[in-house]
Amino acid sequence: MTHNLKRTFAMLLLAIFGSTILYNCEPDPDSLGEQLFNDDAAQGNEIAYPVIAYNYSNNDSIRSDAARLISGVSESGAASYVGVLGAFTENQFGMQRASYVTQLRMPVDNYDFNGANPKVDSVVLVVRPPANTTASTYFFESDSLKTNTFEKSDFPVDGVATAVSIERKTYPVRKYGKIGGASKSMKINVHEVTTFLDSNDDTFKRSNKSISTGELLGSGVFDGNINSISITKKSDNSVVFTGNLGFRMKLSNTNFFQTHILDKKGKPELQDASNFIRYFKGIKISVDETDKYLYQFSPNDLQLIMYYKYDKTDNGTTTRPQTNLVFNLGGSNAHIGLYEYSRTNSSVEKALAAINTSEGDEKLYVQGMGGPSVVMKIKDETIADLKKIYVEKKAGILSAKIRVYVDPLSWKNTNSTEDRRFSILTNTLNSNGTIDFSKLAYTSDLSTGLGLYNYNKDKDYYDIVVTKTIKDLVEDVKDSDGNFIKNKPLIISAGTFAANATGTLLGVRNTTRAFDMNRVILTGIDKTNTNPKRIQLMVTYGTKK
């Protein structure tokens, strides 16, 4: 579209609607006027204003129970969940380590273990990626698939040595942190939880909750890859075993499961779910290291499988066939993502110790999983100036966006996929300067949740669309209660808004913040007003001729 044609469309719209452009009911009110122009090609009168922007500490704590680990909802209405494991350290944000705690339940009440004298053979924990059925490039690198096929002549099938063909497919998971070399592998531990996970107690819903552990159930080395396995008989190609994509870890403490599960057959501990979750309170999955990488997994697809043999008598003959018990780790169990931080001597530690709420901060730090957020506030003087332009020049605001640049000197994790996605909320601040989370609310600017994600990779900036907000403030629009719209701060946090299969947002509280591994440093204010990449409010308006 040529410059003159764009201006013709803009003036035509203004001639028809005049100042009522501010009230136009578009499906996406934030983009009103912006559809006439593409990105930076907007024509008209553009003016830039300073923005107050400063860091906000979330005290390295976030609500991280099952209600906050939701990544979306399928067409059938089933929720998808995401958890994080691992640890990573760098000098900007310090150390971040993620563990996971979950309850587990027996498959049925009063489980009878099929017969007498049950004895444990082995116990396996399977950790699966969030996309479990196909190779999603978001959670693992599908273009790095490796397939190995080999044969085994003495594979046991129903107690008989059988010739089989084994196909193993391997994918590296999507990592955030150090990759390769000494950082490739990390030790994963599974412990018994000794604290009752009371899902009705709000203190058990936060990422910094202290959870006690007991016996070590087993450990394994995760090499950064997940696998799928298919085993077929050579004789007739029938499938003997299929293992879906995941990391399988054999737990060494089989005696724990023998004494705590099998030996409790017929006893009150296994009578029902209520008794069981107070007896066997759960498991904790964690890592030893502090400086490897973070990766995501699917909590509801976790499997804890106990293989055991039991006495089976047929026609006077007793055999000991093997079977398995699959514990229920999903459903209504309590789940908590646990996150630890060490900020000593990091840039974030220094920044959060010197927050300037009145003038703003020069560097802005944003991190998921309870890390810092950023508060952005449009100055009241800016609104007053725009009101003057609106009245005196009969101006219609075509576009308003807060432009914030990625800090050019900030750390970049070049070996990881950095999404740099953010959720944006409008909040009120209490008199003591803290966010009043009871007043979280959408504005029309967030009706689609897409305006913020205009990340210009060439110029390294974000445009946060606030067109409707500015129009309402300039026009003295009233809310549904008859009160004038107030100039509230914007809270910028890592993550996106969760949505259902049709793209409809699940609600203001449903974001991916609780498991978003991303972090970024943005350029904030510049007291000298000489840095061209300082944060600014860019307003484009047209006047009626």
Side-chain angles (χ1 to χ4, degrees):
M1 183 179 287
T2 66
H3 169 90
N4 290 334
L5 186 56
K6 285 182 177 180
R7 182 172 290 279
T8 299
F9 275 125
M11 292 304 103
L12 178 61
L13 182 64
L14 287 169
I16 295 174
F17 294 104
S19 62
T20 59
I21 188 173
L22 301 180
Y23 297 102
N24 191 302
C25 295
E26 292 278 336
D28 181 5
D30 265 323
S31 61
L32 180 60
E34 292 184 4
Q35 67 268 35
L36 302 176
F37 317 107
N38 294 323
D39 296 330
D40 297 330
Q43 304 298 320
N45 302 288
E46 185 176 78
I47 187 168
Y49 293 96
V51 174
I52 298 172
Y54 55 89
N55 293 292
Y56 181 83
S57 174
N58 291 299
N59 297 315
D60 288 336
S61 176
I62 191 171
R63 184 171 167 184
S64 57
D65 61 323
R68 293 296 180 267
L69 298 178
I70 297 176
S71 61
V73 175
S74 68
E75 292 182 1
S76 65
S80 300
Y81 298 86
V82 175
V84 181
L85 287 174
F88 179 39
T89 300
E90 39 80 23
N91 59 8
Q92 296 287 352
F93 288 85
M95 190 278 291
Q96 181 183 45
R97 179 160 55 186
S99 306
Y100 181 76
V101 167
T102 180
Q103 288 176 328
L104 67 163
R105 303 176 191 230
M106 299 290 287
V108 296
D109 293 341
N110 256 337
Y111 194 81
D112 66 2
F113 301 100
N114 301 92
N117 195 29
K119 297 294 180 184
V120 175
D121 278 341
S122 62
V123 182
V124 175
L125 176 71
V126 185
V127 183
R128 304 195 189 283
N132 191 34
T133 54
T134 59
S136 164
T137 56
Y138 182 80
F139 297 114
F140 42 90
E141 310 296 338
S142 61
D143 57 350
S144 300
L145 166 66
K146 294 181 180 179
T147 302
N148 294 315
T149 302
F150 54 96
E151 297 180 356
K152 192 174 179 63
S153 60
D154 58 350
F155 188 85
V157 178
D158 295 329
V160 178
T162 306
V164 298
S165 175
I166 302 175
E167 181 184 72
R168 178 187 176 104
K169 293 183 177 180
T170 302
Y171 298 87
V173 297
R174 174 180 175 264
K175 306 174 183 71
Y176 196 102
K178 294 178 171 61
I179 296 176
S183 300
K184 179 182 178 180
S185 301
M186 59 184 171
K187 184 179 179 182
I188 296 181
N189 299 316
V190 182
H191 283 87
E192 168 201 14
V193 168
T194 57
T195 301
F196 174 60
L197 306 179
D198 188 353
S199 58
N200 295 316
D201 184 343
D202 286 344
T203 65
F204 282 88
K205 298 178 180 180
R206 301 203 68 83
S207 62
N208 58 344
K209 176 66 178 177
S210 178
I211 303 293
S212 300
T213 57
E215 289 192 45
L216 175 66
L217 304 182
S219 300
V221 176
F222 178 61
D223 65 0
N225 296 306
I226 49 179
N227 308 283
S228 65
I229 297 177
S230 178
I231 304 176
T232 57
K233 286 184 181 180
K234 294 286 291 181
S235 59
D236 59 5
N237 288 325
S238 61
V239 177
V240 175
F241 175 80
T242 299
N244 291 334
L245 209 55
F247 166 60
R248 296 173 65 88
M249 181 169 63
K250 190 172 182 179
L251 303 185
S252 58
N253 193 350
T254 56
N255 183 63
F256 177 92
F257 289 90
Q258 181 67 48
T259 59
H260 284 72
I261 305 298
L262 295 176
D263 290 351
K264 296 295 182 180
K265 176 182 177 179
K267 296 185 178 180
E269 289 89 338
L270 309 188
Q271 182 176 353
D272 55 38
S274 179
N275 283 4
F276 186 77
I277 61 175
R278 285 166 173 79
Y279 164 63
F280 187 2
K281 299 177 177 63
I283 60 172
K284 178 180 180 180
I285 310 171
S286 62
V287 300
D288 272 351
E289 292 84 358
T290 59
D291 191 13
K292 291 296 180 77
Y293 52 85
L294 302 167
Y295 79 99
Q296 295 175 326
F297 70 98
S298 175
N300 263 16
D301 286 327
L302 278 175
Q303 283 188 303
L304 185 64
I305 308 169
M306 181 176 68
Y307 297 91
Y308 67 96
K309 291 186 174 71
Y310 64 96
D311 289 344
K312 180 180 181 181
T313 302
D314 286 325
N315 299 321
T317 301
T318 299
T319 58
R320 288 189 59 77
Q322 186 189 70
T323 187
N324 66 73
L325 182 157
V326 181
F327 292 92
N328 175 12
L329 277 71
S332 57
N333 288 301
H335 313 288
I336 311 171
L338 298 180
Y339 310 139
E340 306 168 59
Y341 293 85
S342 176
R343 303 290 193 190
T344 304
N345 296 324
S346 67
S347 298
V348 163
E349 180 187 46
K350 298 170 185 176
L352 296 182
I355 296 173
N356 189 331
T357 59
S358 58
E359 295 180 325
D361 297 329
E362 293 184 353
K363 286 190 177 182
L364 307 172
Y365 296 82
V366 182
Q367 183 181 25
M369 298 164 57
S373 299
V374 168
V375 177
M376 296 181 181
K377 178 72 161 55
I378 299 168
K379 291 185 175 183
D380 291 333
E381 304 95 284
T382 296
I383 302 302
D385 187 64
L386 288 171
K387 283 185 177 181
K388 183 178 179 181
I389 293 173
Y390 170 74
V391 172
E392 293 181 357
K393 297 184 179 182
K394 307 298 182 184
I397 295 174
L398 300 175
S399 170
K401 58 188 73 174
I402 296 175
R403 179 162 294 175
V404 57
Y405 285 81
V406 176
D407 188 83
L409 301 178
S410 68
W411 163 82
K412 289 188 177 181
N413 184 18
T414 56
N415 290 323
S416 294
T417 301
E418 296 187 75
D419 293 331
R420 287 177 173 166
R421 302 169 306 161
F422 301 95
S423 58
I424 177 172
L425 305 171
T426 54
N427 300 295
T428 57
L429 296 181
N430 291 327
S431 58
N432 61 4
T434 61
I435 297 175
D436 184 357
F437 286 99
S438 67
K439 298 186 183 300
L440 286 176
Y442 278 126
T443 68
S444 298
D445 294 308
L446 308 180
S447 58
T448 64
L450 297 176
L452 180 60
Y453 311 139
N454 182 17
Y455 173 55
N456 187 320
K457 293 184 178 179
D458 295 328
K459 298 180 181 178
D460 281 345
Y461 64 74
Y462 293 94
D463 276 338
I464 304 170
V465 179
V466 290
T467 309
K468 179 66 165 57
T469 294
I470 296 299
K471 289 176 181 178
D472 287 349
L473 292 170
V474 169
E475 274 288 281
D476 287 329
V477 172
K478 294 182 178 180
D479 60 22
S480 58
D481 296 325
N483 301 314
F484 288 115
I485 299 295
K486 294 182 180 180
N487 184 16
K488 297 179 181 180
L490 300 174
I491 311 301
I492 311 299
S493 300
T496 59
F497 288 103
N500 63 19
T502 63
T504 302
L505 302 184
L506 299 180
V508 70
R509 296 182 183 275
N510 294 102
T511 73
T512 64
R513 283 183 61 202
F515 52 88
D516 193 289
M517 303 181 294
N518 292 293
R519 60 194 77 181
V520 69
I521 303 174
L522 306 171
T523 299
I525 62 105
D526 175 33
K527 294 181 180 179
T528 65
N529 290 326
T530 59
N531 182 0
K533 292 188 176 182
R534 65 188 182 277
I535 186 171
Q536 296 184 90
L537 172 68
M538 316 295 292
V539 179
T540 302
Y541 67 90
T543 55
K544 182 179 178 181
K545 292 184 178 180

